[in-house]
Every structure is written in C-alpha cells, then in structure tokens.
Amino acid sequence: VTNDGPVQNGSGTITFVEDGGAESQNVYKTVNKEDLGNIVNSMYIAADKAYIVVNNSNKVVVANKNTMVKEAEISGDGIINPRFFVASNGKGYISNWGDPLNTEDDFIAVVSLESNAVLGKISVGEGPEKMLIAGDKLFVCLQGGFGNNNKIVVINTSDDAVESRLDVGDVPNSIVEDSKGDLWVLCGGKPAWTGEETPGYLYAIDGSTLELSFLKFNSTEHPSLLSEESDNLYFALDGKVFEMGTEENELPSNALEGLDGFYYSLDAKNGFLYATDAGDFTSEGTLKVFNLVSGDLLQTITAGIIPGQFVFP
C-alpha cells in the first residue's frame, strides 16, 4: 500500500501487508535507511522491480519488489511532477504534469527498464494521470491537473507516437480493461465549486476500433475509483459503492450493501474489495478488506498517512 504522507512536508511511505493480514509499516525506510520523499503518489510492479512514483520530489525510485532494496532512481529534467507509471516491452511510461501552472508542458516520459534512462518525452494535453496499456496501445487519462480536461490520448507503444485523442466526459479519473479487451473510462465531471458543474460519465472504448459509447450520470453525480473484477465494474459515488456488469446498458440504481464509506481508493480483486480510509489525512489511515458477495468487513488493517494505492505483486 502506498501512503502519500503529509501533503506539505515529510515523506510518504510503503506499508506491506502479508496474505494473513499482518502489516509492516514504512518498509522502504526500514530497509534503505532513507525516506522516499514527499508524496508517494503510486507504485507499479514490473517483473521483480517496484517503481515508486514520488510526486513532489520529482523522481521514481526503483526497488526490488521482494526486499524493497533500492536499485536505482529515475530523476532529472525528464521527470517533473510525476504521477503514474506503467510498463510494456522493456519500456516504462511515466505521466508528468510538468509545471502545474503551465497548461502546455505536460508529457509522458519514456524510460528504458534496462538502464532506467529517460529515452524521450511524448507531449500530451493538460493533466495526464492514470494510464493503461492494452495490446500495443497506451491509453492516458487527461484528467486536467489543477484544471479539468476531457481527453484520452492513445499512444502506439511500438514507436511512441500519438495515434488518437478521444473526447470523453470531463475529468476522466480512472480506466480499466475487461476480458474482451474493451476499455472503460470513468469521468467524474466538473464539481460544483468550479462554477460550471457537469455530470459524470462512464465511457466504453472498443478495444479494436476505438469506437466510443457512454452512460451519463445525473447532473450532480461525480463518480470515481473505477475497478474491474470478473467483468463487473465497481465505482464509488456519494459514499457508496456500486456494481455494474460490463454487458449491462444502464447504470446501477442501488448500491452494494455493507460497503458504505468515503474511501480514498478502491480495488476489486479475487472476490474481495480493498478500500482505504484516509481518516483525518494527518494521522495513520486504514485498509479495509470486504467480501464482495456478502459485503462483510473481513479485516481492518493499519496503514500510513493517506493510504492511496494497492499494489499486488
């Protein structure tokens, strides 16, 4: 579990949770005798490596996934306000905001997994966040950074060229792939405080043709935290968790029982729902494990400050 850590200062951490539920806190610092840095935003596993994205510290720390021993650090001008990491065919891709006040400088950094060197940059629109690789294509959610964007950028990973820019709903915050190879994008919509509130959308992208279809939420509904398990989609909305089959053509009207909560992250996997609660955002948060079928809370596990992402090695 990645823990953001204090927002203004201090270091983020990694919590390791064993299969039985026993947790070990701050495992990276325990092993390496150094802090990760400010805002541990995400982590990605590729082979035996863990790529830990440290946002405000402008770096990606490479560690052995089994021991957490640091092996390398990716930093420099090619890494500016990094957000997420994905990898395929020997290359890593890092979404970067660049200067968050400059709407023109956002990019995807391309990295060699062998040398950890930055091979180049792919210019994209404002606020690249979560990414997903499907086949030979990289799909990038342009959420908008400090603003609000509404695009999915499609990049060919063979030559790292931008192939398409797909218009979706405002603030695409999460993307998943189903068993047919189709993509699902959840768009939160612009919140009311922007002064131009827009509704959320759930978009489906045909994995072969890139054809789009969508379902629209009510005007004041702003869903988030999309996850997929066994061709069922799960998302959070107004403190509740909803389930929808990928073959259904209507949004669900009833929430799943027993899973209520304003969670910081969600992930459905192997019949369980993993959810983090950041609490007061200044002290230790918790990881909750639910049975997806019954809604029963099976475990509550202590995590670090602002637990943000689950990573399953």
Side-chain angles (χ1 to χ4, degrees):
V1 182
T2 63
N3 304 292
D4 292 12
V7 174
Q8 298 299 328
N9 51 56
S11 176
T13 63
I14 304 292
T15 298
F16 176 70
V17 183
E18 298 179 22
D19 287 343
E23 81 275 1
S24 300
Q25 303 296 339
N26 212 351
V27 293
Y28 177 87
K29 184 173 183 178
T30 299
V31 170
N32 297 286
K33 311 304 180 187
E34 68 177 24
D35 287 326
L36 274 166
N38 188 237
I39 308 298
V40 174
N41 193 72
S42 60
M43 182 165 72
Y44 184 88
I45 300 294
D48 63 347
K49 303 291 191 294
Y51 295 84
I52 307 166
V53 181
V54 191
N55 179 215
N56 288 350
S57 294
N58 299 309
K59 64 183 180 180
V60 176
V61 175
V62 185
N64 182 284
K65 75 169 185 179
N66 299 309
T67 65
M68 275 291 118
V69 172
K70 181 179 179 180
E71 297 186 1
E73 184 173 299
I74 307 169
S75 59
D77 290 342
I79 308 298
I80 308 172
N81 278 314
R83 304 295 294 170
F84 291 91
F85 188 105
V86 294
S88 178
N89 295 325
K91 293 186 292 187
Y93 297 88
I94 307 166
S95 56
N96 291 260
W97 281 10
D99 180 347
L101 300 180
N102 183 345
T103 62
E104 303 296 329
D105 70 340
D106 301 50
F107 64 95
I108 305 300
V110 185
V111 176
S112 165
L113 298 187
E114 181 178 0
S115 66
N116 296 309
V118 176
L119 303 175
K121 298 180 182 180
I122 307 168
S123 181
V124 293
E126 175 72 352
E129 285 278 313
K130 291 187 176 179
M131 301 175 289
L132 184 146
I133 292 178
D136 63 353
K137 291 180 172 53
L138 170 66
F139 294 81
V140 183
C141 292
L142 297 188
Q143 188 169 335
F146 288 153
N148 302 285
N149 210 334
N150 64 344
K151 300 284 191 297
I152 300 294
V153 175
V154 185
I155 296 169
N156 188 316
T157 58
S158 63
D159 58 7
D160 297 327
V162 174
E163 285 191 345
S164 305
R165 295 179 184 269
L166 308 178
D167 291 329
V168 293
D170 291 322
V171 194
N173 56 48
S174 36
I175 181 169
V176 298
E177 183 180 15
D178 66 23
S179 66
K180 297 188 302 181
D182 293 333
L183 292 304
W184 297 83
V185 178
L186 190 62
C187 304
K190 295 180 184 179
W193 57 262
T194 64
E196 48 181 356
E197 185 173 18
T198 57
Y201 285 84
L202 177 63
Y203 270 79
I205 304 174
D206 186 290
S208 299
T209 66
L210 301 186
E211 181 180 353
L212 298 173
S213 59
F214 64 83
L215 296 171
K216 182 179 179 181
F217 288 81
N218 292 330
S219 59
T220 59
E221 292 182 330
H222 305 290
S224 62
L225 306 178
L226 183 65
S227 184
E228 190 273 345
E229 162 76 351
S230 300
D231 286 335
N232 286 315
L233 303 174
Y234 299 89
F235 61 87
L237 176 63
D238 295 335
K240 298 182 181 299
V241 177
F242 292 81
E243 176 188 64
M244 174 185 157
T246 57
E247 297 297 327
E248 297 178 22
N249 54 20
E250 291 184 358
L251 292 169
S253 55
N254 296 317
L256 294 173
E257 294 185 3
L259 302 179
D260 292 3
F262 288 90
Y263 302 121
Y264 195 64
S265 61
L266 286 179
D267 201 344
K269 190 175 182 67
N270 297 331
F272 301 101
L273 184 75
Y274 298 84
T276 60
D277 185 344
D280 62 5
F281 288 81
T282 60
S283 54
E284 291 179 333
T286 56
L287 161 64
K288 297 182 179 181
V289 184
F290 296 91
N291 184 301
L292 262 179
V293 176
S294 66
D296 292 336
L297 176 61
L298 304 178
Q299 289 179 308
T300 299
I301 300 166
T302 300
I305 297 174
I306 314 180
Q309 185 192 16
F310 312 99
V311 183
F312 300 92

